[in-house]
Amino acid sequence: MTNRVQCQVNGAEVSFEGRLDEPLLLALRNRLGLKASHFGCGLEQCGACVLSIDGQARYSCALPVSFLDGASIVTPEGLADDPVGRALLEAFDAEHAGQCGYCLSGIVMSAFALLKANGSPTREAVIEALDRHLCRCGAHGGILRAVERAAKGLAEASR
Ligand code: FES
Ligand code: FES
């Protein structure tokens, strides 16, 4: 079994050694100091830890680092370096989406994966993409508007 994993995190080459059964979320927070993703349930139930992994929105709280050799990972810290990520950050800000913000670290990453794959999602597609995220503040309305605002802004910018 390999004792070293190499992957990309926000475009930078990263290697993990040692305890490769450690969940990705904890390795990012504790080894790389990337703390924008939140730990909620730790059971793949709430969505706070979702990251973009090879373009897919995936839970990171129970995903061992050993599964990530060769993967390309985007965390919330990397969003500002990408036009879609920037559009989402600006739209969430403009819509005042969220209240406490705890859920948003994962929601914005699912929205990022969605808009990367589908630049003009229907409301139903946005709801489906965000369906597995819990928001205890009930901020769903503003969150949906923010994702739609980002998609609209990107579409207008590409005309
Ligand atoms: S912390 Fe990963 S799904 Fe809740
Ligand atoms: S904004 Fe508080 S949990 Fe969603």
Side-chain angles (χ1 to χ4, degrees):
M1 184 173 152
T2 178
N3 58 3
R4 186 164 192 253
V5 161
Q6 275 195 282
C7 55
Q8 276 200 346
V9 178
N10 299 330
E13 292 293 333
V14 165
S15 62
F16 293 108
E17 296 180 31
R19 280 202 52 216
L20 300 181
D21 59 346
E22 183 175 37
L24 174 62
L25 177 68
L26 300 185
L28 291 172
R29 291 179 64 86
N30 298 334
R31 301 196 208 186
L32 301 184
L34 296 173
K35 300 193 174 182
S37 286
H38 293 154
F39 183 94
C41 62
L43 298 168
E44 300 191 335
Q45 299 289 314
C46 74
C49 66
V50 165
L51 300 172
S52 170
I53 301 176
D54 293 330
Q56 305 291 315
R58 293 186 59 185
Y59 301 120
S60 64
C61 61
L63 178 63
V65 165
S66 58
F67 281 74
L68 293 159
D69 199 40
S72 177
I73 300 159
V74 182
T75 75
E77 288 90 343
L79 290 177
D81 296 329
D82 183 284
V84 173
R86 275 197 301 279
L88 281 163
L89 293 174
E90 287 165 13
F92 272 72
D93 196 37
E95 292 289 345
H96 304 291
Q99 289 182 39
C100 76
Y102 204 85
C103 65
L104 295 183
S105 58
I107 285 176
V108 75
M109 296 313 304
S110 281
F112 178 72
L114 171 68
L115 295 190
K116 282 289 200 182
N118 175 6
S120 303
T122 60
R123 172 153 286 212
E124 289 69 32
V126 177
I127 290 171
E128 190 181 336
L130 303 185
D131 189 47
R132 59 189 178 154
H133 292 273
L134 300 183
C135 173
R136 295 195 301 177
C137 298
H140 306 81
I143 290 167
L144 292 175
R145 284 195 300 277
V147 178
E148 291 172 339
R149 184 185 187 114
K152 192 168 169 223
L154 287 162
E156 284 170 0
S158 69
R159 277 191 202 131

